Amino acid sequence: MGSMPERELPQPWIETPLIESAALSQAAGCRIFLKLENLQPSGSFKSRGIGNLILSSIRARPTAPLHFYSSSGGNAGLACVTAARSLAYRATVVVPRSTSAFMIAKLRAAGATAVVQAGASWAEADAHLRDKVLARDPDGVYVPPFDHPAVWTGASSMVREMKAQLGSERPDAVVCSVGGGGLFCGIVEGLRREGWSGVKVLACETEGAASLRGSLDAGELVTLEAITSIASSLGAKRVAARAFEYARQEGVSSVVLSDAQAARACWRLADDERLMVEPACGVSVAVCYEEELLRGLVQGLGKEGRVVIVLCGGSNVSLEMLMGWRERFGGVEAVVDGAADVPSGVTAPKG
């Protein structure tokens, strides 16, 4: 482990495909394109932002034996470990004691130097990391999960790819999930940078994790008392101030859907496109299965309209989880009008 000359540093994320989904287009009544961020090395879009922050840190101190630290037991932690390891640096993750054995195993398998459990909540784990662990390591670098300009810049790189992949076909809207707001900030900044400032952005959250909507309703940044949604990766009690600022601008719509809608979108996507994602991503996919909602949010959207869904991915999903969501939520408004025209409409549980 150690430092490398700047010219030798590989990029710890990849250019991901943008595919047009026939099934989701049929369900939505317009052309749906999926930006497959689930294919990133860490399994989620966070490879871009956190990878960019780690690259920036290395370039600022190229000879230091840096050790990167994250307090996320989810996708941000995986992105930190994956990016650091790909660059031949160390990464340690401090997680709350409530973190599942499934995610701890994923962090260790990804190559974490250590996975430390401390505290009953993310806030307590983060405080332990900052006050105890980092204080003892002069070469330690704190890796925030979403609230940092380097993270937003990294996330914005996907918009440049979208523009190259769509060619002259400007999208009518981009749909993304919002937890702390790192992805959302990157999308807004990327659209502006690429001259697509008129493209609509739909910022999606689930009930019980809607810290952005809560702030917009209050007219100021608010902190949720608790996260009650199954979409745990959206579990930021307070969004980044920059995300709140961007969400108040023209052309952005806040969308809040239920856990049931997000979970059903996960198993429907698996049936329609053979792709597995967690509910934090499913809430954005759910917009495709809500044609009237989508048309209400994007005025003038016709059959040839183009909507890009950022399939942000996420590693907290398994076949067993998908089947559990299908059993729990599948019979609740499972089939909407016209849904039988797509595979998941045929396979949907009735009742």
Side-chain angles (χ1 to χ4, degrees), residues 14 18 41 44 130 134 139 157 165 185 206 253 275 277 292 294 308:
I14 64 170
L18 181 73
S44 83
R130 290 172 180 264
L134 277 172
D139 293 312
S157 63
Q165 291 162 332
C185 287
T206 51
S253 290
L275 296 168
V277 299
E292 291 187 9
L294 184 57
V308 174

Side-chain angles (χ1 to χ4, degrees), residues 126-216:
D126 190 64
H128 179 83
L129 169 58
R130 290 172 180 264
D131 299 339
K132 302 289 181 62
V133 180
L134 277 172
R136 297 194 299 264
D137 188 350
D139 293 312
V141 177
Y142 178 71
V143 179
F146 57 84
D147 197 359
H148 194 285
V151 172
W152 311 331
T153 299
S156 74
S157 63
M158 73 177 71
V159 180
R160 182 175 62 251
E161 294 174 15
M162 290 178 200
K163 187 171 185 179
Q165 291 162 332
L166 285 171
S168 60
E169 296 186 322
R170 179 190 180 98
D172 294 280
V174 175
V175 184
C176 69
S177 299
V178 178
L183 172 60
F184 169 63
C185 287
I187 293 296
V188 172
E189 292 182 1
L191 290 173
R192 182 182 302 156
R193 189 175 301 119
E194 298 302 324
W196 278 1
S197 56
V199 174
K200 184 86 172 179
V201 179
L202 306 186
C204 300
E205 302 172 282
T206 51
E207 297 168 356
S211 52
L212 178 61
R213 172 62 70 82
S215 296
L216 291 172

Side-chain angles (χ1 to χ4, degrees), residues 23-41:
L24 270 66
S25 296
Q26 177 67 33
C30 64
R31 297 176 67 188
I32 296 294
F33 295 83
L34 301 177
K35 185 61 171 161
L36 301 184
E37 289 298 291
N38 57 312
L39 300 181
Q40 289 292 351

Side-chain angles (χ1 to χ4, degrees), residues 60-132:
R61 299 172 62 189
T63 62
L66 300 179
H67 189 150
F68 295 94
Y69 291 90
S70 170
S71 57
S72 166
N75 297 314
L78 274 171
C80 176
V81 172
T82 304
R85 290 285 298 179
S86 73
L87 295 163
Y89 283 79
R90 297 167 295 163
T92 288
V93 185
V94 178
V95 300
R97 288 189 294 270
S98 59
T99 303
S100 70
F102 178 70
M103 288 307 296
I104 289 175
K106 286 205 167 193
L107 289 165
R108 287 176 174 155
T113 303
V115 180
V116 179
Q117 290 185 273
S121 66
W122 173 82
E124 291 180 9
D126 190 64
H128 179 83
L129 169 58
R130 290 172 180 264
D131 299 339
K132 302 289 181 62

Side-chain angles (χ1 to χ4, degrees), residues 6-61:
E6 180 177 337
R7 65 181 179 278
E8 297 180 13
L9 291 176
Q11 179 177 282
W13 67 89
I14 64 170
E15 177 176 328
T16 56
L18 181 73
I19 65 168
E20 185 168 3
S21 169
L24 270 66
S25 296
Q26 177 67 33
C30 64
R31 297 176 67 188
I32 296 294
F33 295 83
L34 301 177
K35 185 61 171 161
L36 301 184
E37 289 298 291
N38 57 312
L39 300 181
Q40 289 292 351
S42 70
S44 83
F45 75 96
K46 286 187 177 289
S47 284
R48 292 181 187 269
I50 288 177
N52 188 56
L53 185 146
I54 287 175
L55 276 179
S56 299
S57 299
I58 295 170
R59 287 168 178 159
R61 299 172 62 189

Side-chain angles (χ1 to χ4, degrees), residues 182-271:
L183 172 60
F184 169 63
C185 287
I187 293 296
V188 172
E189 292 182 1
L191 290 173
R192 182 182 302 156
R193 189 175 301 119
E194 298 302 324
W196 278 1
S197 56
V199 174
K200 184 86 172 179
V201 179
L202 306 186
C204 300
E205 302 172 282
T206 51
E207 297 168 356
S211 52
L212 178 61
R213 172 62 70 82
S215 296
L216 291 172
D217 288 346
E220 61 182 0
L221 278 170
V222 299
T223 302
L224 300 181
E225 291 185 6
I227 300 297
T228 58
S229 170
I230 65 169
S232 56
S233 293
L234 300 183
K237 293 183 180 180
R238 186 183 181 95
V239 296
R242 186 65 58 85
F244 175 60
E245 174 190 336
Y246 287 162
R248 302 177 79 182
Q249 296 178 359
E250 185 178 357
V252 176
S253 290
S254 168
V255 180
V256 179
L257 301 179
S258 67
D259 276 352
Q261 288 170 300
R264 284 200 304 271
C266 291
W267 63 255
R268 292 193 68 176
L269 181 69
D271 284 355

